[in-house]
Amino acid sequence: MTLSDAKRCAYLGPAATFTEAALIDLLTEHDLLDTVERVPMRSQNEMFDAVRSGEVDAAVVPIENSVEGGVPATLDALTRSGNLQIVAEAVVPVRFVLAAPPGTVTLGTLQTFGTHPHAEAQTRLWMQEHAPQAVYHPTGSTAEAARVLGAASAGGGEPTSSGPAATAGVSYQAAIGPRLAAETYGLEVLADDIGENSGAQTRFVCVQRPGLLPEPTGWDRTTVVVGLASDRSGALLEMLEQLAARGVNMSRIESRPTGDGLGLYQFSIDALGHVREARMAEALRGIHRVAGRVQFLGSYPMAAAERTELNGTKKAVDPRVADEAFDAAQAWLDEVTGG
Amino acid sequence: MTLSDAKRCAYLGPAATFTEAALIDLLTEHDLLDTVERVPMRSQNEMFDAVRSGEVDAAVVPIENSVEGGVPATLDALTRSGNLQIVAEAVVPVRFVLAAPPGTVTLGTLQTFGTHPHAEAQTRLWMQEHAPQAVYHPTGSTAEAARVLGAASAGGGEPTSSGPAATAGVSYQAAIGPRLAAETYGLEVLADDIGENSGAQTRFVCVQRPGLLPEPTGWDRTTVVVGLASDRSGALLEMLEQLAARGVNMSRIESRPTGDGLGLYQFSIDALGHVREARMAEALRGIHRVAGRVQFLGSYPMAAAERTELNGTKKAVDPRVADEAFDAAQAWLDEVTGG
Amino acid sequence: MTLSDAKRCAYLGPAATFTEAALIDLLTEHDLLDTVERVPMRSQNEMFDAVRSGEVDAAVVPIENSVEGGVPATLDALTRSGNLQIVAEAVVPVRFVLAAPPGTVTLGTLQTFGTHPHAEAQTRLWMQEHAPQAVYHPTGSTAEAARVLGAASAGGGEPTSSGPAATAGVSYQAAIGPRLAAETYGLEVLADDIGENSGAQTRFVCVQRPGLLPEPTGWDRTTVVVGLASDRSGALLEMLEQLAARGVNMSRIESRPTGDGLGLYQFSIDALGHVREARMAEALRGIHRVAGRVQFLGSYPMAAAERTELNGTKKAVDPRVADEAFDAAQAWLDEVTGG
Amino acid sequence: MTLSDAKRCAYLGPAATFTEAALIDLLTEHDLLDTVERVPMRSQNEMFDAVRSGEVDAAVVPIENSVEGGVPATLDALTRSGNLQIVAEAVVPVRFVLAAPPGTVTLGTLQTFGTHPHAEAQTRLWMQEHAPQAVYHPTGSTAEAARVLGAASAGGGEPTSSGPAATAGVSYQAAIGPRLAAETYGLEVLADDIGENSGAQTRFVCVQRPGLLPEPTGWDRTTVVVGLASDRSGALLEMLEQLAARGVNMSRIESRPTGDGLGLYQFSIDALGHVREARMAEALRGIHRVAGRVQFLGSYPMAAAERTELNGTKKAVDPRVADEAFDAAQAWLDEVTGG
């Protein structure tokens, strides 16, 4: 099945997180926003199980952050799950707002606020400058504080079965989270873009059961996980030479720990190109030969923003590794060997 | 100054975290436990500022986790801070206990518990099986819940100036955290080793102002950050060849995002060997020549556990890249060129 | 056409040279000695023209000598001629005899001897020790002296139209050359194996028009010429990495001058393996992509002696680059991409 | 001792060969033509023995020909001799003339001519077109025919003790050889530049006992011989990577047979740069570490013609491997390690 046929898409919840924002972007881009149901879930493992079982048709998860790098929980869950493939990506700016129920509080009168510890760390400098009197109260997600606050403001505020306890008398007056959360839960934005890294972005991927591979677009990314036996010196170099010999560039590489004890390293890699292009196919076959283990996680179009950046700063594919060069090499060999 | 002269060492607080456990291990190993003051701090940036200003003599931070990989906050703060060097490392098992004030509650009667969201994620399966009725309450660190609970149990429970608000009527009955936290705050352990990854470990490093480099021990690690210009294809391979040409192996490599906009990649690398060994010195000089930027973060002895593992599974240094081979090559060249 | 169908084979004459000995070996090995006519010719260019025009069906030429390395005249003529392929090889010991018409002279009474200047250089030490009184007379080939001497002894000795002048009163009494020459022209061997390098060997190749490629035998050699543009630094390394990425080893590499002026280098290469094996085919296609020019000169079985030596001292093909590994990689990729 | 102090220089004789022409060029360039005695010798081994024993102060030999590549006899004698170093090079055009005693014969009346078989091969096309009636008579060197002819013409023509027999009635009327030979022996040039490769050149090197290395000029060449153990796959690639990691380019590489039996390969290499430049020194030390054996044969200024060509077509040394980059890398490392 392709994304176009999807009816239900899971995302890392709760509602109104940056992940839901990414899913909304993806659905909008494919004109599916009105026809696809968005299903919040609690963890990558839960989501991937749901995709495999058919409970949902796709799942959207964060894979890489411009400040923190790769997202370990996603990379590891993808590696462990098997039988899943990335079919699309979206890049979303990480932009925090401070919000409260309309008319209840101002920056000057704010006494307490809630958010996830990561978001608190990224907005601490701004809060210390603009509302130094406000005391921090940790919550389980960036959207959770907004949800609880909105529910309490609306007169509810009961705990959900899957979430943390929250009393009707909520212990904080404002929430820090994505603008989508403020909008979703009817809060008023007191301040916008209060994070330290104002240009921060997160890259999200959409995962489905293996089936029809997305068509090459000329601006694609391929994600693989490669396991290397540690007892062969230079194994990483040897693996990279399989990419280099075919002119394949990488946009991300990370050595990942394995749970299988010592002596086995694995690398999570994003490479530029599509497995239906000759240079990528031959490079992956080469890695399959020399590495202990390789897992193909998908070839998919880059997000529009990424394509634009590459367009401006990089050259097109080296003609020596374009499909035409591979075809010409095969034709030459056929001719000289009478093949 | 060396670690032996240190009087005050900072660690990522609050007290009784895994980081303090690592610091205690390091001090014990150097017979410094009774003479060095342990100072909890709130963030890597705060700690590194304190080291640079001389407010403390050293700082201990997590750098790599066997489940999640490199610790972005540490790697980035080290890269950005400059003028700091790693002088030692310690490896600590990540082992969670469930603890409560003595005699107050049992697994069967537990209604609420507090911990950091990461720790909750890693112990969720165990809790759902053994105390499914208990509701989760997020806190700001793994030790925070224990501290608050211990303080309330002792009759106090006031908020600290740097921490989140906590009322005398604490909203949870038990805490999940390191054993050190339970011991520190006078809690009783209800269950031990309740995490999903029972073999998980975190590697911590001790950072000081640059000064006397630790002596080579034969089992050392060198940490560097290398920035590569993106407009030169194969730049990563070229950099790795500088290591390979001198037979230097890596134990960790991660591509790291930079905040400086697009077009500049940087790699955080742990390599095996000491900069006072010829192969490492020559490799680093080579990287300095070919890379846009390289930052030396220290050469330091591996933790004892790591040495033992390498001892068992790997060969000693290839004789072709041992210091003796470099000396012999220099002697040969001097002789044949009359140098 | 294959060697089995050949009726006329040219060799670098005159008759009874080491090249004819190689041709005799090859024909004997294929049970063709009685059915194939051996045709002496004067130069590589003449022979290759004759093969291309169909005047002969094959040509045997020296390609590599264990003392002097590659034979430039052959390598260059092969490169320039085009439309020819090597289909077989033979290795012949280079062993010189001193011979004279029966009963005419002894080592002690010898006053003059004739041979090609190269053979004189390789036997000078022996002659100075055993017949220091004998004066050297240069001739145009190692067999020429024996031919002239035999003809004179038989009462003839007239000059040939294509050869050097020789008078009925030949100016030398003995000849140094291959044993085959002594036998062919009815001379008596005065001394055997008088060269300096008693283990010297020459490798000869048999060249035909392109047609049916010899089948892979598991012990094959492939010969190519690769032209590299000089303005790309590291071009040679890049080309060798195309071989290394597929685990292809070389048995000979020589940089060759080109007549086309400066700035273009070319390399004559013998690699181990057959173009019908996946590793060699992919490596040659890779070289075709990255190099300015590549010429395929054939895949052919090694001489029996070479196979034996490799058998004893080297491992079989690395399983990671055997055809089975390439097939497995293709099957894996087809499966994971739904191909 | 340096070339400037030389009193006697050997060359590959006899007199008036291309090798003597190269020696004359070298002596002229150093203003030594009037003070240095030129001593013809018969072989590379004889010359190198004479240099080592002090009988002569230097020896000039051909090392590379633009048509035939490396000169095996020179490369092997240099490799085997040890304790010798190349201190200079000269490049001489290979240009053949046809010459005879003045007034004795014309192209139309020429019946016989003498020369070395190599020279006959390179002038055969011209002779067949312009003097098809002339019969070839082989001689031992390109200058020998001219010498004999000149001596006979002068009324002498006796054999020398080291040369082949020649009767007063010389059996040929004209000689093909270098213009220097015609001039030396008083012959008249009947035709000039009659070789097939009118742009052909030979590179000659001047060899001395090791002593003061020539100073770097910025346009230098370094010659080495590297022996590789055959039982390590990729040994050649590994060796070339030692050059590539320091940005050292090659101008010639040839695999050379060894007389030591099978399983040991050696490579004769000319690399661009001087051993007193950091990139070359470090690369050679690297090769010393990884290769089984390496022999340094000298760093010396390129011939003026070669410098001119490189000047026009190539960039200067890559700034990343210039001495300044090595110095900067060392300074950086000293600073960051407190060295």
Side-chain angles (χ1 to χ4, degrees), chain A residues 135, chain B residues 14 42 144 147-148 151 157-166:
Chain A
V135 174
Chain B
R42 286 195 61 188
E144 185 62 18
R147 187 190 65 77
V148 169
E158 82 294 1
T160 66
S161 65
S162 68

PDB file of all heavy atoms in Angstrom, chain A residues 135, chain B residues 14 42 144 147-148 151 157-166:
ATOM      1  N   VAL A 135       7.956  29.369  38.654  1.00  0.00           N
ATOM      2  CA  VAL A 135       8.558  28.101  39.085  1.00  0.00           C
ATOM      3  C   VAL A 135       8.165  26.999  38.111  1.00  0.00           C
ATOM      4  O   VAL A 135       7.012  26.915  37.668  1.00  0.00           O
ATOM      5  CB  VAL A 135       8.087  27.761  40.515  1.00  0.00           C
ATOM      6  CG1 VAL A 135       8.588  26.373  40.919  1.00  0.00           C
ATOM      7  CG2 VAL A 135       8.594  28.816  41.495  1.00  0.00           C
TER       8      VAL A 135
ATOM      9  N   PRO B  14      20.769  16.487  40.356  1.00  0.00           N
ATOM     10  CA  PRO B  14      21.023  16.670  41.780  1.00  0.00           C
ATOM     11  C   PRO B  14      21.842  15.525  42.375  1.00  0.00           C
ATOM     12  O   PRO B  14      22.254  14.622  41.634  1.00  0.00           O
ATOM     13  CB  PRO B  14      19.612  16.696  42.360  1.00  0.00           C
ATOM     14  CG  PRO B  14      18.802  15.849  41.444  1.00  0.00           C
ATOM     15  CD  PRO B  14      19.384  16.077  40.072  1.00  0.00           C
ATOM     16  N   ARG B  42      23.490  22.087  37.550  1.00  0.00           N
ATOM     17  CA  ARG B  42      22.257  21.814  36.817  1.00  0.00           C
ATOM     18  C   ARG B  42      22.446  21.503  35.344  1.00  0.00           C
ATOM     19  O   ARG B  42      21.560  20.949  34.706  1.00  0.00           O
ATOM     20  CB  ARG B  42      21.309  23.011  36.958  1.00  0.00           C
ATOM     21  CG  ARG B  42      20.692  23.083  38.328  1.00  0.00           C
ATOM     22  CD  ARG B  42      19.520  24.025  38.322  1.00  0.00           C
ATOM     23  NE  ARG B  42      18.485  23.562  37.390  1.00  0.00           N
ATOM     24  CZ  ARG B  42      17.411  24.264  37.068  1.00  0.00           C
ATOM     25  NH1 ARG B  42      17.221  25.446  37.595  1.00  0.00           N
ATOM     26  NH2 ARG B  42      16.520  23.788  36.228  1.00  0.00           N
ATOM     27  N   GLU B 144      15.559  13.223  41.641  1.00  0.00           N
ATOM     28  CA  GLU B 144      14.704  14.248  42.218  1.00  0.00           C
ATOM     29  C   GLU B 144      13.554  13.646  43.036  1.00  0.00           C
ATOM     30  O   GLU B 144      13.250  14.090  44.157  1.00  0.00           O
ATOM     31  CB  GLU B 144      14.132  15.134  41.107  1.00  0.00           C
ATOM     32  CG  GLU B 144      13.320  16.311  41.592  1.00  0.00           C
ATOM     33  CD  GLU B 144      14.123  17.299  42.432  1.00  0.00           C
ATOM     34  OE1 GLU B 144      15.368  17.260  42.368  1.00  0.00           O
ATOM     35  OE2 GLU B 144      13.518  18.095  43.165  1.00  0.00           O
ATOM     36  N   ARG B 147      14.753  12.444  46.286  1.00  0.00           N
ATOM     37  CA  ARG B 147      15.100  13.528  47.188  1.00  0.00           C
ATOM     38  C   ARG B 147      13.848  14.129  47.842  1.00  0.00           C
ATOM     39  O   ARG B 147      13.772  14.286  49.076  1.00  0.00           O
ATOM     40  CB  ARG B 147      15.850  14.633  46.426  1.00  0.00           C
ATOM     41  CG  ARG B 147      16.410  15.737  47.324  1.00  0.00           C
ATOM     42  CD  ARG B 147      16.924  16.930  46.516  1.00  0.00           C
ATOM     43  NE  ARG B 147      15.893  17.632  45.785  1.00  0.00           N
ATOM     44  CZ  ARG B 147      15.018  18.486  46.346  1.00  0.00           C
ATOM     45  NH1 ARG B 147      15.068  18.734  47.644  1.00  0.00           N
ATOM     46  NH2 ARG B 147      14.092  19.072  45.617  1.00  0.00           N
ATOM     47  N   VAL B 148      12.875  14.451  46.999  1.00  0.00           N
ATOM     48  CA  VAL B 148      11.648  15.066  47.499  1.00  0.00           C
ATOM     49  C   VAL B 148      10.957  14.140  48.503  1.00  0.00           C
ATOM     50  O   VAL B 148      10.514  14.553  49.578  1.00  0.00           O
ATOM     51  CB  VAL B 148      10.710  15.391  46.319  1.00  0.00           C
ATOM     52  CG1 VAL B 148       9.325  15.788  46.823  1.00  0.00           C
ATOM     53  CG2 VAL B 148      11.320  16.504  45.471  1.00  0.00           C
ATOM     54  N   ALA B 151      12.887  13.952  51.741  1.00  0.00           N
ATOM     55  CA  ALA B 151      12.757  15.190  52.509  1.00  0.00           C
ATOM     56  C   ALA B 151      11.381  15.256  53.175  1.00  0.00           C
ATOM     57  O   ALA B 151      11.255  15.607  54.358  1.00  0.00           O
ATOM     58  CB  ALA B 151      12.965  16.395  51.589  1.00  0.00           C
ATOM     59  N   GLY B 157      10.706  18.729  53.008  1.00  0.00           N
ATOM     60  CA  GLY B 157      10.042  18.769  51.708  1.00  0.00           C
ATOM     61  C   GLY B 157       9.895  20.134  51.098  1.00  0.00           C
ATOM     62  O   GLY B 157       9.099  20.330  50.200  1.00  0.00           O
ATOM     63  N   GLU B 158      10.677  21.108  51.562  1.00  0.00           N
ATOM     64  CA  GLU B 158      10.565  22.444  50.968  1.00  0.00           C
ATOM     65  C   GLU B 158      11.215  22.457  49.576  1.00  0.00           C
ATOM     66  O   GLU B 158      12.145  21.681  49.320  1.00  0.00           O
ATOM     67  CB  GLU B 158      11.246  23.464  51.872  1.00  0.00           C
ATOM     68  CG  GLU B 158      12.748  23.575  51.725  1.00  0.00           C
ATOM     69  CD  GLU B 158      13.493  22.322  52.172  1.00  0.00           C
ATOM     70  OE1 GLU B 158      12.855  21.307  52.605  1.00  0.00           O
ATOM     71  OE2 GLU B 158      14.717  22.333  52.060  1.00  0.00           O
ATOM     72  N   PRO B 159      10.755  23.336  48.704  1.00  0.00           N
ATOM     73  CA  PRO B 159      11.381  23.451  47.388  1.00  0.00           C
ATOM     74  C   PRO B 159      12.775  24.045  47.499  1.00  0.00           C
ATOM     75  O   PRO B 159      13.042  24.884  48.361  1.00  0.00           O
ATOM     76  CB  PRO B 159      10.444  24.402  46.638  1.00  0.00           C
ATOM     77  CG  PRO B 159       9.716  25.162  47.699  1.00  0.00           C
ATOM     78  CD  PRO B 159       9.630  24.246  48.887  1.00  0.00           C
ATOM     79  N   THR B 160      13.681  23.570  46.638  1.00  0.00           N
ATOM     80  CA  THR B 160      14.995  24.217  46.579  1.00  0.00           C
ATOM     81  C   THR B 160      14.912  25.358  45.580  1.00  0.00           C
ATOM     82  O   THR B 160      14.014  25.416  44.746  1.00  0.00           O
ATOM     83  CB  THR B 160      16.071  23.221  46.092  1.00  0.00           C
ATOM     84  OG1 THR B 160      15.764  22.899  44.741  1.00  0.00           O
ATOM     85  CG2 THR B 160      16.100  21.978  46.933  1.00  0.00           C
ATOM     86  N   SER B 161      15.869  26.233  45.653  1.00  0.00           N
ATOM     87  CA  SER B 161      15.826  27.400  44.764  1.00  0.00           C
ATOM     88  C   SER B 161      16.005  26.983  43.315  1.00  0.00           C
ATOM     89  O   SER B 161      15.471  27.594  42.404  1.00  0.00           O
ATOM     90  CB  SER B 161      16.914  28.391  45.165  1.00  0.00           C
ATOM     91  OG  SER B 161      18.177  27.795  44.957  1.00  0.00           O
ATOM     92  N   SER B 162      16.815  25.939  43.086  1.00  0.00           N
ATOM     93  CA  SER B 162      17.084  25.578  41.698  1.00  0.00           C
ATOM     94  C   SER B 162      16.123  24.512  41.182  1.00  0.00           C
ATOM     95  O   SER B 162      16.067  24.257  39.977  1.00  0.00           O
ATOM     96  CB  SER B 162      18.526  25.058  41.563  1.00  0.00           C
ATOM     97  OG  SER B 162      18.643  23.817  42.246  1.00  0.00           O
ATOM     98  N   GLY B 163      15.381  23.855  42.004  1.00  0.00           N
ATOM     99  CA  GLY B 163      14.553  22.740  41.545  1.00  0.00           C
ATOM    100  C   GLY B 163      13.110  23.139  41.365  1.00  0.00           C
ATOM    101  O   GLY B 163      12.710  24.271  41.626  1.00  0.00           O
ATOM    102  N   PRO B 164      12.305  22.185  40.891  1.00  0.00           N
ATOM    103  CA  PRO B 164      10.883  22.435  40.719  1.00  0.00           C
ATOM    104  C   PRO B 164      10.186  22.517  42.076  1.00  0.00           C
ATOM    105  O   PRO B 164      10.714  22.083  43.095  1.00  0.00           O
ATOM    106  CB  PRO B 164      10.409  21.216  39.940  1.00  0.00           C
ATOM    107  CG  PRO B 164      11.402  20.147  40.258  1.00  0.00           C
ATOM    108  CD  PRO B 164      12.694  20.826  40.551  1.00  0.00           C
ATOM    109  N   ALA B 165       8.986  23.026  42.066  1.00  0.00           N
ATOM    110  CA  ALA B 165       8.214  23.135  43.297  1.00  0.00           C
ATOM    111  C   ALA B 165       7.829  21.762  43.829  1.00  0.00           C
ATOM    112  O   ALA B 165       7.570  20.843  43.074  1.00  0.00           O
ATOM    113  CB  ALA B 165       6.948  23.942  43.040  1.00  0.00           C
ATOM    114  N   ALA B 166       7.862  21.567  45.116  1.00  0.00           N
ATOM    115  CA  ALA B 166       7.392  20.326  45.723  1.00  0.00           C
ATOM    116  C   ALA B 166       6.678  20.698  47.027  1.00  0.00           C
ATOM    117  O   ALA B 166       7.205  21.474  47.827  1.00  0.00           O
ATOM    118  CB  ALA B 166       8.553  19.396  46.015  1.00  0.00           C
TER     119      ALA B 166
END
